[in-house]
Amino acid sequence: MRKKIYNIDYALLMAVFALLALSLAFIYTASSTKALEQYGDDAFFLKRQMLRILLGAMILYLTMRLDYRKLLQFGPVMFWAALTLLFLLQLGPDSWAIRGTRRWISIGGFVFQPSELAKFGLILMLARLLTMKDADLRSFTDGLLPNLVLIGLACFAIIVGPDTGTSTMVFAIAMAMMFIAGARLLHLIAISAAGLTVVAAAMMIFPYQRRRLMNFIESFQDGSHIGWQVKQSLISLGNGGFAGIGLGESKQKLHWLPDPFTDFIFSIVGEELGLIGTLSVVALFLVILFRGFRIALASQEADARLLASGMTVSIVLYAFMNIAVITHLMPTTGIPMPFVSYGGSSLLMNMFAVGVLLNIHQQNTLNRSRVRRKVTMRNRSKTYAFGL
Amino acid sequence: MLLAASMLMLFAAVIVLRLLYIQLWERSRYKQMADRQYIIKLPLDAQRGLIYDRNMNLLALNEACISIGLDKSQMEGTATRYARELARVLPVSEARLRRRITSVRSHFLWLVRRIDSDYGIKIASLQLPGIRVEKDTRRKYPHQDIGSHILGFTNADNVGIEGVELSYNSTLAGRPGWKIIQRDGRGRAKPEFVIDEQEPRQGTDVVLTIDYILQTIATEELRTAARQYNARSGSIIIADPRTGDILAMANTPGYDPNAISDSPVTARKNRAITDVFEPGSTFKIATFAALLEEKHVREDTLLNCENGRYVDNGRTIRDTSPHKILSAADVMRYSSNIGTVKLAKMLSKDEMYDMVRKFGFGSRTRIGLEGETPGIVHQPRAWSSYTRSSLAIGQEISVSLLQLTMAYAAIANGGKLLKPNIVRGTVNQNGQLEEWPNAKVVRRVISESTAARLTSLLRRVVDSGTGKAARIPGISIAGKTGTAQKPREDGKGYSDSEFVASFVGFFPAENPRYLISIMLDTDRQHQWGGASAAPTFKRIAQRILIADRKQENYTGLSRKQADEAGKIEHSVTVVDRIVLPDMSSRRFETARAALLDMGLKVSADGEGEFILTQSPEPGTILTRGDEVHLQLFSVVESDGYIEMPSVVGLSLREALNRLAIENIEPVVYGSGRVKSQKPRAGTRVRAGIRSIIECDPPAFKVSSVLRAGMK
């Protein structure tokens, strides 16, 4: 029995490890020039990311060992804590702003993004709330509205960062979860339309975001206003061709492509490894998609199913959105590629998500070996949402 | 749930298709864009050739300056913003800058070329991405208006647009080179990333026939004459009649080629070759040449000069001073129009016309300067009944001063019309002068004996005739005065307020070395060539004799003779008082020898073969034994490399200034004092490279000051 607890979805884990290995290789190749220039150490960023991966591995292991049911109880705490942080960040003094925005909290040299915390807090909470016995998702006012209030609150807290990209992603993930939980498609479309309107309005308020959007729209009209970063990204991908120009050979990383090892690291993958590299990355995320949904489907419990699919959607949607931006299918939103882009918060939280998936996988195998339990709808008070 | 998964799958499919499209279908397009942005072609300018005088004194050199360029691919901000910021520090208007930035399509463009190096620091302070400050050179004419009409000048692109700079532009300019370098997204290009390079071919140095000292004398005396005789304009040419070399060519009004915009276009005309005038009596040599050559007229043939008033063919001809009976020689000596007209009747139209054309009138001399006039000589079939008589006394014909000069040179050198030279040669790769052929004979005009007879006629003019004012005792001078009314601008007859006074002469008459021709556009009061141009000739001749004494004896006179000739009535040579000449840009040895010869002491500072400045100023009156201090410089052919200066220990601001002077782009880390630099001091680097300057953080300022202090 104890042996079975260690039953691990190796395909999922291998896909994640493969992405992490790729990440380290490309963070090094894309950051070494800048690292050498700024810090005199070509492996400066590499070392930092390795440290985070170790930390992430620990988080993954711990979450894997922790029963997701217990974790679900922490959902509201996580969510409200993140929201508090986000609002405090807005109210804080000017010195709290990093690079002109209030998206990050810097504590002792470590930079943390509370919106990542809010995102997973929301996923945890929705997994619970949407599967409650008295949650009638077919009804707009009774079922959807209370949840929409929470979702709206989270999106609002993030969008004022300003961080329209993350906010949109959180919204999309929440919609996906509601859809999976059984909400009416018509309702969701209406809500999404309303959400898009809000995002559009937000973009009009923040001039920087507006310019990015306008540039994107104009770039399809005459092909001229294509932004520098996206143009350089396309050059990277195109110049990489089928087989790439060789590992470590990227020229675009020499100050041509901005953010070559964070949000746009996929462009460098495309330049150095070509189509083979880019399709491999897409394939690895598809593996995560399949394994994640497989785990969700295999689960007997509604909240576990929703939790697993929420986590999976979060990872895969981020990856695809990131590629969509890089390939000029979407306007630049500033979202990283899970596991691959340089950065702490995103990595740690995604490792956490994988840990959750692996835990549910273990629980599934555990359950299957026992007497099959009936799929239960939890009967808890709605006060759960407020952490009471 | 499956539906959600399918939607994500659909998303994945779209992405995969998009990747296939970019990385396979559009691959070549992006590859082209990539290749194009990784390299940049930079022009490598050729150093423009220097211009020397015949004794290798510098007349035109290259001065360090900067040019401001822009790499458009690195611009951060709009053209409007760049134009506005740049217009604050550059001497160019905002509108012009903006037009330049928006209209040029290539990656790299020049915003302003060849401005003072001081602008470099101001530009750097703007910190606009993509701005390049490149080291450059521009033309400098150390003697300002002396010789400016011959030298001409260049435009902002260093292309000659007047004078020798224009005529010999291709020789002087060389051929620019280029280099293709790899660069990164910030435009950094390191010398080792040069992909391909074509070295520029440096311009060739040109040595003129001009003698800087004679040019100075001509310029100064012309200025004096213009003031003294109220001349609106005028020209002087000094030539060597044996070779056709032009030793000096001066015009007034003049201009400073270092500041073109300060002078009107009319001041920039080289009137000695572009303008024509009716020569008047100086032209009588053509008539006499034809008579002596064709008609065997003897010098003692007597003519009735009608007491100064003679009606010829219904037209009255007058002499300034009336004479009764004159020999042919005296007709020339006293410049009798009546005598000349009567003599000319012995010549046919064609004989007259042929001689005029043989002397070179009506054709360009092909001196090799742009804008030369052929003058105006009418064909015999277009002549009126007066024309032969008019022509005999230098009317109904227009000539340039250069044509007149070469015609007299033909008499002086024994009858050969020479092509005038302005270039003595070029300097080859080894620094040696390669002389161009001179004394190119266009044709023989008259026989040697006719030339000798004409010379003796002209000697009498100066000895005891109308040219007496040009006489210098001890020196045999042959010359002729001229006075002409200027034709009215509306073409109806002659002006009664505008006259042209002229004098052309050469010496020593037995073996002519110098020929001086003078033309002054003056008024009624100073119209007589004998009263204005002849004294000017004398002053110039005297100064030449003094200058000559110090060099080789061109005149073939003994030193004592030359001294004697120079001294008399000459204002400059007072025994113990010396007017200090301008020595700038002359070779140190020649200048030193000249000064020592004047009895002055010489001290010098700096290294090099040329004189940069002198103290006291030129024109100062010194007494024997005074010291003249010279600052020297050398002309270094720049090969585009510079030595990396040491900036370690300097404050950041000082370091940036120092690097800006050498045109090295700094990449600065930290602030405060400079801790280290890359490349090391003394390394040979290409101008315009980037260097890495590391500074201490401000917190450690104190310790670094101490360390710097200990050094």
Side-chain angles (χ1 to χ4, degrees):
Chain A
M1 167 155 168
R2 182 127 187 97
K3 216 172 102 193
K4 279 173 185 164
I5 290 174
Y6 284 92
N7 196 333
I8 287 168
D9 187 336
Y10 285 107
L12 174 63
L13 200 58
M14 285 303 119
V16 171
F17 282 165
L19 286 171
L20 289 174
L22 193 83
S23 163
L24 288 178
F26 277 89
I27 282 171
Y28 179 71
T29 173
S31 74
S32 55
T33 317
K34 190 181 176 188
L36 195 61
E37 276 175 10
Q38 286 194 347
Y39 303 98
D41 174 9
D42 58 349
F44 179 83
F45 295 107
L46 177 70
K47 286 175 188 164
R48 286 174 70 107
Q49 191 69 4
M50 283 168 103
L51 209 70
R52 287 168 182 159
I53 288 177
L54 280 178
L55 199 64
M58 282 196 291
I59 287 176
L60 184 141
Y61 179 75
L62 290 175
T63 354
M64 189 177 81
R65 295 298 309 276
L66 181 72
D67 190 337
Y68 75 89
R69 295 177 194 87
K70 282 182 190 148
L71 195 65
L72 281 174
Q73 287 167 5
F74 286 109
V77 179
M78 211 166 159
F79 180 77
W80 290 114
L83 249 59
T84 312
L85 283 174
L86 282 169
F87 284 118
L88 273 177
L89 202 56
Q90 287 303 315
L91 299 171
D94 281 348
S95 60
W96 288 16
I98 295 174
R99 279 194 276 164
T101 62
R102 293 164 180 272
R103 296 182 198 177
W104 298 278
I105 293 176
S106 174
I107 306 159
F110 277 90
V111 180
F112 183 74
Q113 205 172 351
S115 58
E116 286 289 326
L117 200 64
K119 178 176 79 184
F120 285 101
L122 185 67
I123 294 172
L124 287 174
M125 239 163 55
L126 287 178
R128 194 71 173 274
L129 288 174
L130 296 176
T131 52
M132 279 183 186
K133 205 174 187 176
D134 55 352
D136 181 10
L137 293 178
R138 311 294 295 172
S139 151
F140 183 79
T141 44
D142 293 348
L144 291 184
L145 203 55
N147 296 307
L148 278 178
V149 171
L150 290 175
I151 295 165
L153 206 57
C155 289
F156 176 73
I158 296 167
I159 208 166
V160 292
D163 191 352
T164 325
T166 307
S167 184
T168 313
M169 293 302 291
V170 167
F171 184 75
I173 292 162
M175 288 300 113
M177 287 180 74
M178 299 227 282
F179 178 64
I180 292 166
R184 284 185 189 210
L185 198 58
L186 202 69
H187 282 154
L188 294 181
I189 289 169
I191 294 162
S192 299
L196 272 175
T197 316
V198 172
V199 170
M203 281 189 158
M204 292 300 145
I205 292 166
F206 303 113
Y208 174 70
Q209 321 257 355
R210 184 177 60 206
R211 209 182 61 219
R212 283 213 299 213
L213 183 72
M214 295 318 277
N215 282 351
F216 182 76
I217 294 166
E218 282 169 23
S219 71
F220 284 106
Q221 285 168 352
D222 56 6
S224 64
H225 270 77
I226 185 160
W228 171 262
Q229 192 169 27
V230 174
K231 181 179 153 197
Q232 292 302 329
S233 168
L234 291 177
I235 288 175
S236 308
L237 292 170
N239 196 28
F242 180 73
I245 59 172
L247 199 61
E249 295 294 311
S250 166
K251 291 201 179 79
Q252 289 294 98
K253 68 188 179 192
L254 299 173
H255 304 294
W256 289 106
L257 177 69
D259 310 325
F261 55 97
T262 54
D263 291 354
F264 278 74
I265 194 165
F266 186 72
S267 306
I268 304 295
V269 174
E271 187 188 5
E272 295 193 355
L273 297 181
L275 192 64
I276 298 172
T278 52
L279 292 188
S280 302
V281 172
V282 175
L284 288 172
F285 279 107
L286 285 177
V287 170
I288 294 174
L289 176 67
F290 288 133
R291 300 308 292 192
F293 273 99
R294 190 166 166 268
I295 291 166
L297 284 168
S299 177
Q300 305 296 310
E301 293 172 53
D303 51 1
R305 295 174 74 147
L306 200 52
L307 183 58
S309 45
M311 293 294 185
T312 309
V313 168
S314 166
I315 295 168
V316 177
L317 194 62
Y318 255 66
F320 291 171
M321 278 299 281
N322 176 270
I323 297 174
V325 167
I326 280 170
T327 54
H328 197 215
L329 287 171
M330 297 261 179
T332 313
T333 44
I335 56 168
M337 175 171 272
F339 307 116
V340 185
S341 288
Y342 176 85
S345 317
S346 156
L347 177 74
L348 298 186
M349 294 316 292
N350 282 315
M351 294 294 260
F352 165 83
V354 175
V356 171
L357 284 174
L358 290 174
N359 180 264
I360 295 170
H361 177 70
Q362 282 170 13
Q363 301 281 341
N364 290 346
T365 43
L366 197 68
N367 290 345
R368 235 179 281 131
S369 71
R370 288 179 181 179
V371 182
R372 286 181 79 108
R373 285 204 303 194
K374 218 183 150 191
V375 174
T376 52
M377 282 289 204
R378 291 186 185 278
N379 190 2
R380 291 269 174 88
S381 156
K382 276 183 187 169
T383 51
Y384 164 81
F386 306 100
L388 302 170
Chain B
M1 193 182 294
L2 286 172
L3 198 58
S6 320
M7 279 165 75
L8 280 171
M9 286 293 295
L10 194 68
F11 197 171
V14 171
I15 285 166
V16 167
L17 284 175
R18 178 74 180 150
L19 285 170
L20 286 169
Y21 178 69
I22 295 168
Q23 299 197 281
L24 295 181
W25 186 258
E26 291 215 291
R27 185 195 171 170
S28 57
R29 193 181 130 223
Y30 288 120
K31 186 163 165 44
Q32 211 179 7
M33 283 167 82
D35 290 343
R36 211 180 313 144
Q37 76 179 1
Y38 298 147
I39 59 166
I40 185 166
K41 188 172 177 178
L42 293 179
L44 296 175
D45 279 349
Q47 179 111 345
R48 195 169 174 84
L50 308 175
I51 304 177
Y52 296 94
D53 86 337
R54 64 184 304 116
N55 299 315
M56 302 306 280
N57 297 308
L58 275 173
L59 300 179
L61 48 99
N62 300 313
E63 178 186 51
C65 63
I66 53 167
S67 288
I68 312 292
L70 172 65
D71 186 344
K72 282 171 92 176
S73 66
Q74 286 170 56
M75 276 174 73
E76 283 173 21
T78 58
T80 314
R81 184 192 145 217
Y82 269 60
R84 192 179 55 236
E85 300 246 322
L86 289 165
R88 284 213 311 258
V89 294
L90 291 178
V92 190
S93 76
E94 186 182 331
R96 236 181 101 184
L97 284 168
R98 191 175 48 237
R99 222 176 313 128
R100 183 119 186 84
I101 297 171
T102 48
S103 63
V104 178
R105 290 200 69 79
S106 65
H107 255 320
F108 184 83
L109 62 104
W110 292 114
L111 292 171
V112 251
R113 298 219 64 179
R114 303 192 166 84
I115 53 172
D116 285 348
S117 299
D118 306 350
Y119 286 107
I121 293 158
K122 292 186 203 161
I123 287 288
S125 71
L126 292 179
Q127 297 190 321
L128 291 171
I131 291 288
R132 297 268 172 285
V133 178
E134 295 286 341
K135 219 172 177 178
D136 218 329
T137 58
R138 67 177 167 197
R139 232 23 176 180
K140 168 97 180 161
Y141 305 94
H143 307 296
Q144 283 102 36
D145 62 338
I146 293 176
S148 55
H149 291 111
I150 304 158
L151 294 170
F153 51 89
T154 60
N155 64 10
D157 292 324
N158 246 8
V159 176
I161 48 174
E162 285 282 3
V164 168
E165 294 275 29
L166 168 65
S167 307
Y168 296 92
N169 187 59
S170 54
T171 310
L172 290 163
R175 194 190 54 217
W178 44 259
K179 63 177 171 181
I180 295 175
I181 49 172
Q182 200 175 326
R183 57 170 193 166
D184 68 14
R186 289 190 188 151
R188 284 186 219 182
K190 291 173 185 148
E192 60 264 32
F193 285 162
V194 173
I195 296 166
D196 197 3
E197 188 169 8
Q198 168 80 56
E199 288 281 343
R201 198 183 62 214
Q202 305 298 357
T204 307
D205 296 348
V206 171
V207 180
L208 301 184
T209 58
I210 297 300
D211 183 321
Y212 162 63
I213 297 178
L214 299 192
Q215 181 67 39
T216 309
I217 292 170
T219 309
E220 287 173 0
E221 291 304 333
L222 180 58
R223 226 182 272 152
T224 309
R227 203 170 44 238
Q228 205 170 339
Y229 308 121
N230 195 23
R232 285 173 303 277
S233 65
S235 301
I236 292 179
I237 295 175
I238 305 176
D240 183 340
R242 297 166 301 170
T243 57
D245 283 358
I246 302 299
L247 303 173
M249 187 187 277
N251 301 283
T252 189
Y255 73 103
D256 180 356
N258 297 304
I260 291 309
S261 48
D262 295 350
S263 61
V265 180
T266 50
R268 298 181 213 150
K269 280 174 77 174
N270 188 358
R271 292 166 193 273
I273 64 163
T274 61
D275 282 15
V276 292
F277 63 101
E278 279 201 357
S281 300
T282 43
F283 194 76
K284 285 174 186 164
I285 50 149
T287 317
F288 274 79
L291 288 165
L292 295 176
E293 189 85 353
E294 313 281 346
K295 295 296 167 191
H296 310 294
V297 167
R298 285 170 44 165
E299 281 85 341
D300 56 4
T301 307
L302 294 178
L303 292 137
N304 182 358
C305 290
E306 313 280 350
N307 260 335
R309 194 167 180 282
Y310 169 60
V311 180
D312 165 50
N313 206 6
R315 185 172 67 154
T316 308
I317 296 172
R318 294 170 209 277
D319 277 343
T320 319
S321 52
H323 297 279
K324 248 205 144 73
I325 307 291
L326 287 178
S327 67
D330 286 343
V331 166
M332 178 69 108
R333 190 199 307 190
Y334 300 118
S335 200
S336 165
N337 289 341
I338 296 166
T340 311
V341 167
K342 282 189 170 175
L343 281 166
K345 288 188 189 294
M346 298 162 119
L347 296 164
S348 72
K349 279 184 178 184
D350 284 337
E351 281 168 340
M352 186 76 211
Y353 178 76
D354 286 348
M355 187 52 78
V356 168
R357 292 303 307 263
K358 269 163 90 179
F359 267 113
F361 298 109
S363 331
R364 291 188 177 85
T365 65
R366 301 197 353 268
I367 186 177
L369 291 173
E370 298 288 320
E372 201 194 345
T373 175
I376 303 162
V377 179
H378 299 294
Q379 299 271 351
R381 57 186 145 79
W383 288 9
S384 72
S385 52
Y386 303 133
T387 306
R388 187 176 48 186
S389 304
S390 297
L391 206 55
I393 56 172
Q395 292 176 356
E396 292 193 38
I397 183 170
S398 289
V399 305
S400 72
L401 188 63
L402 182 62
Q403 286 175 329
L404 200 59
T405 305
M406 296 324 287
Y408 272 79
I411 296 167
N413 67 27
K416 292 167 292 186
L417 182 70
L418 301 177
K419 182 175 144 334
N421 310 307
I422 197 73
V423 176
R424 186 172 170 217
T426 53
V427 179
N428 68 15
Q429 301 283 313
N430 309 320
Q432 287 160 333
L433 171 66
E434 281 181 359
E435 291 207 52
W436 290 8
N438 60 12
K440 274 195 189 162
V441 179
V442 178
R443 72 179 74 87
R444 173 161 285 282
V445 186
I446 45 176
S447 68
E448 262 184 65
S449 67
T450 306
R453 286 166 75 191
L454 277 169
T455 303
S456 74
L457 288 179
L458 292 172
R459 277 186 71 170
R460 282 188 236 180
V461 173
V462 176
D463 281 346
S464 54
T466 50
K468 264 188 297 193
R471 199 164 73 96
I472 301 174
I475 307 276
S476 55
I477 297 173
K480 182 77 194 79
T481 57
T483 296
Q485 278 172 290
K486 281 192 88 170
R488 283 167 52 144
E489 274 174 24
D490 55 14
K492 292 173 190 160
Y494 289 89
S495 160
D496 48 10
S497 62
E498 290 183 34
F499 295 83
V500 177
S502 57
F503 187 90
V504 186
F506 50 87
F507 65 93
E510 328 59 73
N511 184 18
R513 308 286 167 120
Y514 293 104
L515 188 150
I516 307 168
S517 52
I518 297 157
M519 186 274 276
L520 298 168
D521 250 351
T522 184
D523 56 17
R524 177 173 280 277
Q525 192 196 337
H526 301 101
Q527 60 172 301
W528 308 112
S532 54
T536 304
F537 175 94
K538 181 182 176 179
R539 276 195 297 271
I540 294 172
Q542 281 179 315
R543 288 184 66 180
I544 290 175
L545 290 166
I546 298 166
D548 233 21
R549 189 174 62 93
K550 297 189 180 85
Q551 298 177 3
E552 284 169 63
N553 258 333
Y554 286 145
T555 40
L557 296 173
S558 76
R559 198 180 173 110
K560 203 174 154 226
Q561 270 180 302
D563 259 352
E564 284 299 309
K567 235 182 249 172
I568 295 162
E569 290 176 54
H570 197 272
S571 54
V572 177
T573 341
V574 188
V575 186
D576 279 330
R577 289 163 76 74
I578 299 138
V579 179
L580 185 63
D582 184 0
M583 292 292 170
S584 60
S585 295
R586 294 185 62 180
R587 277 188 181 281
F588 177 55
E589 309 103 78
T590 51
R592 199 172 101 98
L595 291 171
L596 289 175
D597 202 30
M598 291 179 192
L600 296 168
K601 285 184 193 145
V602 178
S603 65
D605 231 4
E607 279 179 29
E609 48 197 330
F610 293 102
I611 294 157
L612 182 65
T613 56
Q614 68 188 77
S615 141
E617 297 272 296
T620 314
I621 296 171
L622 302 176
T623 40
R624 258 174 226 281
D626 282 350
E627 187 176 291
V628 179
H629 186 80
L630 304 171
Q631 182 73 38
L632 304 182
F633 77 103
S634 60
V635 180
V636 184
E637 297 282 323
S638 158
D639 57 0
Y641 284 95
I642 45 169
E643 223 172 69
M644 179 75 190
S646 171
V647 293
V648 175
L650 298 179
S651 77
L652 182 53
R653 226 179 59 167
E654 288 168 335
L656 291 181
N657 285 351
R658 183 80 189 81
L659 294 175
I661 291 166
E662 299 290 350
N663 184 25
I664 297 167
E665 260 186 88
V667 179
V668 181
Y669 295 124
S671 55
R673 277 195 187 260
V674 179
K675 195 171 64 181
S676 72
Q677 66 175 65
K678 223 192 284 181
R680 285 201 319 273
T683 315
R684 267 163 66 81
V685 293
R686 257 204 187 281
I689 73 146
R690 279 190 186 231
S691 68
I692 296 171
I693 305 301
E694 279 187 77
C695 299
D696 278 330
F700 299 111
K701 224 175 191 166
V702 177
S703 67
S704 71
V705 170
L706 284 176
R707 209 161 53 226
M710 279 157 70
K711 256 185 85 183

